[in-house]
Amino acid sequence: MKDRERTHREVGLVGAVLILLMILFIMVMGKLVLNFDTGMLVLIVAMATTIVYVGVYRFTWDFMFKEGVIPMVARASGAILILLIVGPMIAIWMAAGTVPYMINLGLSILRPQTFLVSACLVCAISSVLTGTSWGSAATFGVAFMGIGHGLGISPAATAGAIIAGSYFGDKVSPISDTTVLAAATAETDVVAHIRSMLWTTVPAFCIGLAVYAWAGSSAADTMDMTRINEIVQAIEGSYKLTPIVLLPAVLLLILAFMGFPTIPVLWASMASAVPLAMMQGHGLSDIVKIMASGPKAATGLEVVDKLLSRGGLSFMSSSVTVVFFAYIFAGQLECTGTIRVVTSAMKERFIRSSIGRLVFSTSLTGLITALGTGNSYLSIIMPGTMYRDLFDDFGIQRRVLSRTLEDSGTVFVPLIPWSAAGVYMYGLFNVPVLEYAPWAVMCYCGFLLAWLYAFCGFAIFRAEPKDGSQAKGSKIAL
């Protein structure tokens, strides 16, 4: 290391805490008071941390860039690449009729006595295939709100079921940006991450379905299917819907769970959708344009057109921007020792030898970040970066970390009234966040189950020792 790089001051515990509080303050003020764009807000944070480290602690920019930013962005390159590939894949799935077919299939399960359960399941299916909770809520969710009103079902219960289903699908979808980001932040495989999430997400989802079944059991014997029929007719009149259009989705799921690398699997799914898009009447040049800029659905029904006009290379640009800038200041926090100082203090003074406290601390950090910033990306990146090495020290697989990040970040954000997700859902359904929050059962049962599992030692997967000896932390208390 060069002499000028050795002149910096060490970051102490007080300084590290103050830096983290500064980041939290900027985020809270930027989102809640000034309503800044998230990408620009994260860039401002990166600039602020640079000023502090250079001006106060005398780190050089060259040192932080080479030792912090470049390694961090390099580790994130896989996630960024996947995000960029997911955009064109969503677009080609839309053009091929894959998503439209699944929408029709999902709507067919509606039954009066299980309305809330059906609403939750349909939104979950839509989100799994599109990778977006917001899109599912804005389309199926709006339709279900109208039907629920006609049945006399509580708007809060309907909104809660819709949001829980939408975020379940978003959370376990291999093409969801938050799913990819959580796996990348924890530096684990996407499929391993999804398999780990099923341990908390499926039970939480089932608890919610039980609640919805009980609450919806008093629904009327008949229901107004006008809105649903409009959606079905609009889709059937615009696409050739046969089971073969499910090939891209089936191929993706089969190859992913067989353990093939994520990026080749996405490419294979995209390639299989090309002839199906041509079957829908698109020429090869049109398909390339659709994958670049996104499809322009024209079913004649605005709500359907909004859902099916998603995807394209440019579609993920804002997500990639946020991730890239967030990793800049995350890399600075890591290379300057700020994160190490805080996590060491947490380990010595609170976590000690308890796996339960480790998972609880990780989860709580994510929840606090979500409450402070209202942003799901940051609630994943911050705790993931802070506690990643501690999970290694305890001999716990990184997929437990990635699962905890999503349990406490992705699905918790829509329960925060001042978050972008909370404001968005309120605007869609005209139901205050604090009214629908108790009904969005999966969104809070996930992190409660994560805490329970951790303190009971259940579904805490141990890392395999590299040298055949006992893994580090194998005798650590629960």
Side-chain angles (χ1 to χ4, degrees):
M1 188 181 295
K2 298 178 180 179
D3 292 340
R4 62 192 179 114
E5 293 173 348
R6 285 200 292 263
T7 60
H8 66 257
R9 294 169 48 199
E10 294 295 327
V11 179
L13 179 59
V14 174
V17 171
L18 289 176
I19 290 171
L20 294 179
L21 289 176
M22 177 194 71
I23 294 172
L24 189 62
F25 175 78
I26 295 174
M27 289 295 181
V28 171
M29 290 295 295
K31 291 300 293 184
L32 303 189
V33 180
L34 303 175
N35 195 30
F36 283 171
D37 172 77
T38 303
M40 286 304 302
L41 186 56
V42 176
L43 175 58
I44 291 170
V45 170
M47 294 167 61
T49 54
T50 300
I51 291 171
V52 171
Y53 287 126
V54 172
V56 178
Y57 290 97
R58 303 301 179 187
F59 285 96
T60 65
W61 167 251
D62 287 343
F63 171 76
M64 290 191 296
F65 186 74
K66 294 177 182 177
E67 302 297 327
V69 176
I70 290 179
M72 185 67 73
V73 173
R75 293 203 296 266
S77 60
I80 293 173
L81 181 57
I82 290 174
L83 290 176
L84 291 173
I85 294 173
V86 162
M89 191 179 75
I90 292 175
I92 193 65
W93 277 23
M94 298 291 186
T98 303
V99 173
Y101 185 92
M102 290 303 297
I103 290 174
N104 271 22
L105 190 62
L107 290 176
S108 68
I109 71 173
L110 281 175
R111 296 294 183 273
Q113 295 299 319
T114 58
F115 169 75
L116 289 175
V117 173
S118 298
C120 186
L121 287 172
V122 169
C123 289
I125 292 170
S126 173
S127 293
V128 167
L129 289 173
T130 62
T132 169
S133 52
W134 287 25
S136 297
T139 51
F140 296 120
V142 172
F144 284 127
M145 285 298 294
I147 297 170
H149 178 75
L151 291 173
I153 296 176
S154 162
T158 304
I162 291 167
I163 292 167
S166 298
Y167 273 87
F168 170 84
D170 193 337
K171 187 178 179 184
V172 303
S173 173
I175 60 173
S176 166
D177 52 355
T178 53
T179 303
V180 174
L181 179 61
T185 302
E187 297 181 6
T188 190
D189 179 70
V190 173
V191 174
H193 165 57
I194 293 174
R195 285 174 173 167
S196 180
M197 278 199 300
L198 296 179
W199 287 90
T200 53
T201 305
V202 171
F205 187 66
C206 290
I207 292 171
L209 291 179
V211 171
Y212 305 143
W214 169 78
S217 60
S218 60
D221 291 335
T222 59
M223 59 193 295
D224 182 9
M225 294 291 292
T226 303
R227 190 69 182 275
I228 297 300
N229 288 334
E230 288 178 353
I231 295 176
V232 170
Q233 291 171 8
I235 293 175
E236 289 180 347
S238 303
Y239 296 90
K240 298 175 182 177
L241 301 181
T242 65
I244 195 174
V245 299
L246 293 177
L247 176 62
V250 172
L251 185 64
L252 182 144
L253 293 175
I254 291 176
L255 294 179
F257 283 93
M258 285 178 65
F260 288 96
T262 302
I263 291 175
V265 168
L266 298 179
W267 284 340
S269 178
M270 289 170 58
S272 69
V274 171
L276 298 176
M278 297 177 72
M279 182 185 76
Q280 301 293 346
H282 299 288
L284 190 59
S285 61
D286 291 333
I287 291 173
V288 174
K289 292 178 181 178
I290 287 171
M291 294 173 69
S293 304
K296 304 297 180 185
T299 65
L301 194 61
E302 184 179 1
V303 68
V304 177
D305 291 343
K306 285 183 178 180
L307 175 63
L308 301 183
S309 298
R310 297 176 57 83
L313 188 61
S314 59
F315 180 69
M316 286 295 181
S317 60
S318 60
S319 299
V320 172
T321 299
V322 173
V323 172
F324 182 80
F325 286 142
Y327 272 119
I328 289 179
F329 75 79
Q332 294 178 343
L333 293 175
E334 187 174 78
C335 76
T336 58
T338 304
I339 291 176
R340 183 180 64 254
V341 169
V342 174
T343 53
S344 295
M346 286 288 294
K347 183 178 180 180
E348 293 173 4
R349 303 181 186 187
F350 177 71
I351 298 173
R352 297 193 178 96
S353 61
S354 171
I355 291 176
R357 291 183 182 181
L358 171 62
V359 173
F360 176 78
S361 298
T362 306
S363 175
L364 190 62
T365 302
L367 295 173
I368 292 173
T369 304
L371 285 168
T373 66
N375 184 269
S376 57
Y377 287 176
L378 297 176
S379 65
I380 290 172
I381 292 173
M382 286 297 292
T385 306
M386 288 178 63
Y387 294 95
R388 190 165 49 209
D389 291 338
L390 274 184
F391 274 75
D392 291 342
D393 292 342
F394 276 61
I396 302 173
Q397 292 183 22
R398 292 282 186 89
R399 58 179 173 146
V400 178
L401 168 61
S402 63
R403 177 182 76 200
T404 306
L405 298 180
E406 289 232 67
D407 287 336
S408 310
T410 302
V411 297
F412 181 68
V413 171
L415 307 186
I416 302 172
W418 53 85
S419 69
V423 172
Y424 178 79
M425 296 302 174
Y426 172 70
L428 282 181
F429 306 135
N430 196 31
V431 178
V433 174
L434 296 181
E435 289 187 16
Y436 72 63
W439 291 97
V441 179
M442 190 212 69
C443 295
Y444 56 83
C445 274
F447 69 81
L448 294 177
L449 286 173
W451 297 354
L452 177 64
Y453 288 2
F455 284 106
C456 293
F458 180 70
I460 303 298
F461 308 113
R462 297 291 186 167
E464 291 292 333
K466 294 182 179 180
D467 58 357
S469 61
Q470 192 177 46
K472 285 192 298 181
S474 60
K475 294 186 177 180
I476 294 174
L478 297 174

